[in-house]
Amino acid sequence: MHKYRLATTKLLNTFHSSLPVIFEETGVSRINAKNSNSPILSRRRHYSSFSELEGKRPGIILGIETSCDDTGAAVVTTDRRVLGESLHSQLQIHLNHGGIIPPIARHLHEQNIGRIIREATDKANVSLEDIDAIATTVKPGLALSLLVGVKWGKDMCLKGEKPFIPIHHMEAHALTARMLENINFPYLVLLISGGHCLLAVAKGINDFLLLGRSIDDAPGEAFDKTARRLKLHNMDAGSSLSGGAAIEHYAKQGNPEAFQFPTPMYKYRDCNWSFAGLKFIALRHILREERKHGITRFYEVEGSDLVPSLPDICASFQHAVVMHLCKKIQRGMIYAEMKNLIPENNRILVVSGGVACNDYVKRGISIVCEEYGYKLVCPPKNLCTDNGVMIAWNGVEKWRENIDVVPHTELDTVDIEAKSPFGTDLQDEIRNLNIKCKRIKMSQLFDSSSNPSQSDIIA
Ligand code: KG4
Ligand code: ZN
């Protein structure tokens, strides 16, 4: 670390004189360990890398997440302890606006990030001095949102002369499960959120093979827009839930076979998804039902006239999403076996991202896992949706292996990327193999009264 000090003294002086006094605002630099029994107190010495520190004490990484509409921060150790975390969700405000408006998201991140970092470090009982590196989401996400976290992360690195670890948001989702369980590479991972739908083989910390993705909407996006059109945000239970969670809630009272949904992309023997079509069919069902029940102001999502068949629409839509997800996962598993990508003794499917909070989705996927001998691993709900812990953990993984650890003198080399590819692309290869899938009975998803005829996966 010392070798950087001389070179940057001038830069730091200039920088600090022009900075808004953010560290006074966060209080991070002034936090002292309050508990004399804290394991943190023994770690005052400064180490510039994990190899230098190894064995002396656990490394401590601060993670910052602002890629979309959650402001998150967490302090996680190299021995997998979450020392402190804090999260501010913008969900309620975006529900009131009918969707995420980027300048509003940025404003809310700016309003909350100082407090969130301070809360995380306070709970962890650490000061900026105690932290070994700062991991921050730099891609992909809303540019205006990413910029807020990256500015704070970089500013703190400069102030504390700490390394900065740039994080890919989806890679962080993919690795979170490794903090909770001993999961070795390579394993299969499905990431289903409001912005993404990816099936990949996780081969290493920053080494992924992309088997499939959504060619249009992400499943969470389709859930959110369908929920909005159903006006679930105007109902008691739906008023504070994300669109996906609201649909799951109302689907519990509905019949998943009441409304017909076609199988998207049934002609394509690949691992890709399309959720825009399902969203459109849901809209058609809603419009028809509204007309049938004399709801003429059907174009108004603010109205409170609800169709009586609402639970059935939710259940049928949710079921169609699950069936579509399962079919492509099935093909991914067959491909992985053909190419020997996952050893037989490590057949693990990690499912993460906000949509992985959905129990019906998980139940459907578990049926496919059982059929192909995979263990399904899903982080707890608070770690499936966006959070600071997953970013800090990805920082831990990178820091331990010295991957993407950027010295505070080289922060200019790091920038945000609103869009960013994920892994080595195998989509064409899979499509060309024309892999047929056998039928899997999905009838366990239903209660006994349902007709299982629509619940088979057919290639
Ligand atoms: O991972 P996440 O917190 O943020 C993104 O990176 O997108 O995921 C948010 C998405 C939203 O679209 C939300 O509707 C969806 O996850 N979601 C759900 C459930 N809970 C959250 N979708 C289906 N069922 C749920 N229970
Ligand atoms: Zn996410």
Side-chain angles (χ1 to χ4, degrees), residues 81-236:
R81 283 175 300 142
V82 178
L83 296 182
E85 63 175 305
S86 188
L87 187 71
H88 175 261
S89 167
Q90 304 177 355
L91 176 68
Q92 199 57 56
I93 289 131
H94 297 312
L95 274 177
N96 297 342
H97 283 95
I100 299 173
I101 299 167
I104 295 180
R106 173 186 56 189
H107 176 68
L108 293 169
H109 283 306
E110 282 169 344
Q111 272 194 331
N112 290 289
I113 189 163
R115 173 179 62 83
I116 291 299
I117 294 174
R118 188 171 54 243
E119 282 175 8
T121 51
D122 268 352
K123 285 181 199 164
N125 221 355
V126 296
S127 67
L128 178 58
E129 189 191 341
D130 296 321
I131 292 164
D132 293 299
I134 298 172
T136 308
T137 309
V138 302
K139 62 187 175 184
L142 299 173
L144 292 180
S145 295
L146 287 166
L147 281 167
V148 179
V150 170
K151 174 171 169 30
W152 278 75
K154 283 186 175 183
D155 284 354
M156 290 179 75
C157 286
L158 213 45
K159 164 85 176 173
E161 299 186 1
K162 306 287 176 183
F164 181 90
I165 306 176
I167 302 293
H168 188 299
H169 180 84
M170 301 314 291
E171 291 181 3
H173 271 305
L175 299 182
T176 312
R178 280 165 51 83
M179 186 184 82
L180 310 162
E181 286 188 41
N182 285 324
I183 298 175
N184 294 325
F185 296 116
Y187 58 89
L188 207 54
V189 60
L190 173 75
L191 302 177
I192 38 180
S193 70
H196 293 89
C197 189
L198 303 169
L199 182 68
V201 175
K203 289 179 70 190
I205 291 163
N206 59 352
D207 188 6
F208 295 87
L209 303 176
L210 179 67
L211 308 187
R213 63 179 178 86
S214 172
I215 58 162
D216 43 50
D217 290 0
E221 189 180 351
F223 269 117
D224 290 340
K225 289 186 176 151
T226 303
R228 183 109 201 128
R229 190 55 194 76
L230 280 165
K231 308 173 201 171
L232 300 186
H233 55 287
N234 295 333
M235 298 175 72
D236 277 351

Side-chain angles (χ1 to χ4, degrees), residues 65 67 169-170 173 193 353-354 384-386 390:
E65 158 64 27
S67 68
H169 180 84
M170 301 314 291
H173 271 305
S193 70
C384 277
T385 49
D386 292 350
M390 70 184 206

Side-chain angles (χ1 to χ4, degrees), residues 251-258 312 315 360 363 442-455:
K252 286 188 178 127
Q253 300 139 36
N255 171 8
E257 290 196 298
D312 287 344
Y360 194 81
R363 262 208 330 274
M442 299 292 285
S443 41
Q444 301 159 54
L445 262 173
F446 292 164
D447 58 17
S448 52
S449 59
S450 306
N451 171 7
S453 60
Q454 282 182 42
S455 329

Side-chain angles (χ1 to χ4, degrees), residues 31-33 40-41 43-46 57 59-61 125-133 162:
I31 295 164
N32 289 314
I40 309 302
L41 277 180
R43 300 174 291 83
R44 282 289 167 196
R45 224 199 113 189
H46 197 83
R57 64 160 173 83
I60 298 176
I61 307 296
N125 221 355
V126 296
S127 67
L128 178 58
E129 189 191 341
D130 296 321
I131 292 164
D132 293 299
K162 306 287 176 183

Side-chain angles (χ1 to χ4, degrees), residues 155-445:
D155 284 354
M156 290 179 75
C157 286
L158 213 45
K159 164 85 176 173
E161 299 186 1
K162 306 287 176 183
F164 181 90
I165 306 176
I167 302 293
H168 188 299
H169 180 84
M170 301 314 291
E171 291 181 3
H173 271 305
L175 299 182
T176 312
R178 280 165 51 83
M179 186 184 82
L180 310 162
E181 286 188 41
N182 285 324
I183 298 175
N184 294 325
F185 296 116
Y187 58 89
L188 207 54
V189 60
L190 173 75
L191 302 177
I192 38 180
S193 70
H196 293 89
C197 189
L198 303 169
L199 182 68
V201 175
K203 289 179 70 190
I205 291 163
N206 59 352
D207 188 6
F208 295 87
L209 303 176
L210 179 67
L211 308 187
R213 63 179 178 86
S214 172
I215 58 162
D216 43 50
D217 290 0
E221 189 180 351
F223 269 117
D224 290 340
K225 289 186 176 151
T226 303
R228 183 109 201 128
R229 190 55 194 76
L230 280 165
K231 308 173 201 171
L232 300 186
H233 55 287
N234 295 333
M235 298 175 72
D236 277 351
S239 63
S240 59
L241 294 174
S242 67
I247 288 194
E248 181 179 17
H249 177 84
Y250 290 104
K252 286 188 178 127
Q253 300 139 36
N255 171 8
E257 290 196 298
F259 288 88
Q260 295 280 328
F261 281 83
T263 308
M265 302 177 74
Y266 69 95
K267 283 186 183 156
Y268 296 89
R269 288 191 176 158
D270 57 16
C271 294
N272 290 342
W273 292 273
S274 164
F275 294 99
L278 293 180
K279 179 186 70 181
F280 179 71
I281 300 296
L283 174 64
R284 276 218 325 237
H285 286 313
I286 297 165
L287 289 173
R288 203 173 295 132
E289 287 297 291
E290 284 180 337
R291 268 189 227 109
K292 198 162 106 191
H293 294 281
I295 301 169
T296 49
R297 290 150 62 112
F298 49 78
Y299 49 86
E300 276 190 3
V301 294
E302 296 314 325
S304 54
D305 292 338
L306 303 167
V307 286
S309 47
L310 183 149
D312 287 344
I313 296 177
C314 288
S316 303
F317 173 73
Q318 179 178 258
H319 182 70
V321 169
V322 173
M323 294 299 282
H324 187 35
L325 281 170
C326 285
K327 179 186 279 187
K328 302 305 183 108
I329 296 168
Q330 183 186 5
R331 185 166 290 115
M333 288 177 174
I334 297 172
Y335 172 76
E337 193 169 349
M338 278 171 73
K339 298 286 168 180
N340 245 329
L341 296 177
I342 313 276
E344 217 173 313
N345 62 359
N346 202 49
R347 286 195 177 166
I348 293 170
L349 172 64
V350 168
V351 182
S352 196
V355 180
C357 295
N358 186 303
D359 290 328
Y360 194 81
V361 169
K362 280 187 277 194
R363 262 208 330 274
I365 294 172
S366 72
I367 295 172
V368 182
C369 283
E370 205 167 302
E371 193 73 26
Y372 286 85
Y374 273 74
K375 178 182 168 195
L376 175 61
V377 176
C378 229
K381 292 183 181 182
N382 62 319
L383 293 180
C384 277
T385 49
D386 292 350
N387 63 85
V389 175
M390 70 184 206
I391 306 305
W393 174 251
N394 199 170
V396 165
E397 295 241 47
K398 286 185 161 182
W399 195 66
R400 283 195 303 211
E401 301 294 325
N402 204 15
I403 296 170
D404 296 341
V405 179
V406 180
H408 71 276
T409 48
E410 293 171 22
L411 296 176
D412 286 350
T413 61
V414 181
D415 211 347
I416 61 145
E417 289 171 51
K419 286 195 165 38
S420 174
F422 182 85
T424 307
D425 195 342
L426 297 178
Q427 295 171 76
D428 289 343
E429 183 186 316
I430 294 174
R431 191 175 309 113
N432 293 337
L433 285 170
N434 204 26
I435 300 167
K436 196 169 187 295
C437 297
K438 67 174 182 183
R439 294 164 76 103
I440 301 179
K441 286 276 181 218
M442 299 292 285
S443 41
Q444 301 159 54
L445 262 173

